[in-house]
Amino acid sequence: MSLFDHKISELKELLHKKEITVTDLVDESYKRINEVDGKVQAFLTLNEDKARDYAKQLDDAIGNRSEYGLLFGMPIGVKDNIVTKDLRTTCSSKILENFDPIYHATVAQRLNEAEAVTIGKLNMDEFAMGSSTENSGFQLTKNPWNLETVPGGSSGGSAATVAAGEVPFSLGSDTGGSIRQPAAFCGVVGLKPTYGRVSRFGLVAFASSLDQIGPITRNVEDNAYLLQTIAGVDENDSTSANVEVPDFLSALTGDVKGLKIAVPKEYLGEGVSEESKQSVLAALKVLEGLGATWEEVSLPHSKYALATYYLLSSSEASANLSRFDGIRYGYRTDNAENLIDLYKQTRSEGFGNEVKRRIMLGTFALSSGYYDAYYKKAQKVRTLIKKDFEDVFEKYDVIIGPTTPTPAFKIGEKTDDPLTMYANDILTIPVNLAGVPGISIPCGLSNGLPLGLQIIGKHFDESTIYRVAHAFEQATDHHKAKPEL
């Protein structure tokens, strides 16, 4: 049995009783990485020397003080688009392959204050653009459940490392489903918080009005621990919300009596596999047995979500990525003859195909003569999508559906067809456009591959999502299933 089969609360108790040490936990993490990461390829950069030194410091503190950080001694992996001081941050892009930040992202700083131990940085789709982690500039992360399938994306490394038992939890980022979709594919728990719940300061921007950092864990309780640590207003981020952070752990009561669930007919419609539908219906039966009720509803504008998302996110990406020009930091071409040539060559050589595709799409949508027809119209549709959610939440507590239309697909299966790849996020994207929170939890297997149940809540009501997810988890064994590597 691995130490990481224990929950955070159990590990903390073992530490305080001195039955284990922080060094034991860090050893367990690097031992497992040495055993399986050659196959999974989740980590890009390891922080081994510093992690071991910090573990010794924390071991010396056990029993010698009255207060300990919320994640005292817990090993964690961090997605490689979250900047970490003196620890390489590449966004899985050649354009940043030698970038060593001089400051911490706010979430990294909060992990330090909670006394977590950063094990290393995790692979992802380049600049978080992708649904399969096949767009990394460095390596191809594989799904621990079946090494021939993708782990999802863009936080594929973050989900795969938790599923493979290399770390007990990790941080990812979610722009259109990039935490929830890989969590579903890898059979773990992944939460996208409400937009503004967690600071984006130090998260390398893809689409600033959609990006949100969130936790990926083995179980719901650990997820609440991690969100508790990173949530809260930040003076460095004007989009972080000055809203009180509740005690998320106190929401884990297991009681859902009287809870009203909405099930959008669009989430069980065309393109969603029979196994995904059946796993959701089975989950609803479990929740009914616990005293909840559900009804079918409609989110009529969700059919426009995919087009809306790719116009808005690509437009924001084209503006955000203009800073990577070869002048200030990052990769610079050796072949330039003049300044314009320097820009062109640096970006041509440094960015991968998917990033270039989205920059071109976004630049087109923002260009004179097309702005009103595309970008402005997409903003109006986004408002309608948000209104759909608000209307449903007037009568219901949560919305439930599948996280993804199908289980994980084979590596290389969709790389030649960007539109089919984009459609993979059709069930997660509306949540980002509306800015509401959503969680994916394991709800079954299809041909040995995990399926995810998505629970969506009202703005800043992560507590209710956790309550429902925890009640379902306690009533089932889906979260106990593990891949055999």
Side-chain angles (χ1 to χ4, degrees), residues 168-238:
F169 47 76
S170 66
L171 284 186
S173 70
D174 192 310
T175 308
S178 291
I179 287 173
R180 289 157 292 149
Q181 185 249 25
F185 280 3
C186 293
V188 292
V189 178
L191 174 94
K192 182 207 89 78
T194 308
Y195 184 80
R197 172 65 90 188
V198 177
S199 170
R200 291 185 302 107
F201 178 73
L203 173 69
V204 179
F206 161 18
S208 308
S209 74
L210 298 160
D211 298 340
Q212 193 62 184
I213 297 167
I216 296 176
T217 58
R218 288 264 187 100
N219 59 70
V220 175
E221 185 184 298
D222 286 3
N223 208 280
Y225 260 105
L226 197 42
L227 184 63
Q228 197 76 52
T229 302
I230 61 173
V233 69
D234 174 24
E235 62 182 14
N236 291 320
D237 175 11
S238 61

Side-chain angles (χ1 to χ4, degrees), residues 338-394:
N338 54 48
L339 186 62
I340 299 298
D341 209 30
L342 174 73
Y343 292 149
K344 279 161 82 171
Q345 297 280 12
T346 295
R347 293 163 70 79
S348 297
E349 294 163 18
F351 288 137
N353 288 340
E354 184 59 34
V355 174
K356 290 177 195 168
R357 184 183 289 128
R358 297 202 199 190
I359 289 172
M360 288 167 73
L361 174 62
T363 306
F364 174 77
L366 291 175
S367 61
S368 175
Y370 296 101
Y371 179 90
D372 285 1
Y374 292 106
Y375 182 76
K376 196 172 174 186
K377 193 168 206 174
Q379 288 285 29
K380 288 178 175 176
V381 177
R382 180 182 188 169
T383 304
L384 295 173
I385 290 167
K386 185 169 178 276
K387 180 83 168 60
D388 285 349
F389 278 97
E390 287 167 358
D391 291 346
V392 169
F393 283 133
E394 279 180 14

Side-chain angles (χ1 to χ4, degrees), residues 42-44 77-80 120-124 157-158 161 170-171:
F43 277 94
L44 284 175
V78 178
K79 188 176 178 179
D80 206 30
K121 302 298 286 292
L122 295 158
N123 194 31
M124 55 185 276
S158 300
T161 192
S170 66
L171 284 186

Side-chain angles (χ1 to χ4, degrees), residues 194 393-394 396-398 436-437 456-462 465:
T194 308
F393 283 133
E394 279 180 14
Y396 301 93
D397 299 303
V398 292
V436 293
I456 302 162
K458 300 171 186 174
H459 283 100
F460 298 104
D461 192 16
E462 288 85 359
I465 295 181

Side-chain angles (χ1 to χ4, degrees), residues 249-270:
L249 289 158
S250 67
L252 309 181
T253 60
D255 178 20
V256 291
K257 283 189 184 68
L259 186 96
K260 290 180 174 172
I261 299 167
V263 181
K265 63 183 182 188
E266 292 83 3
Y267 284 25
L268 295 174
E270 192 186 345

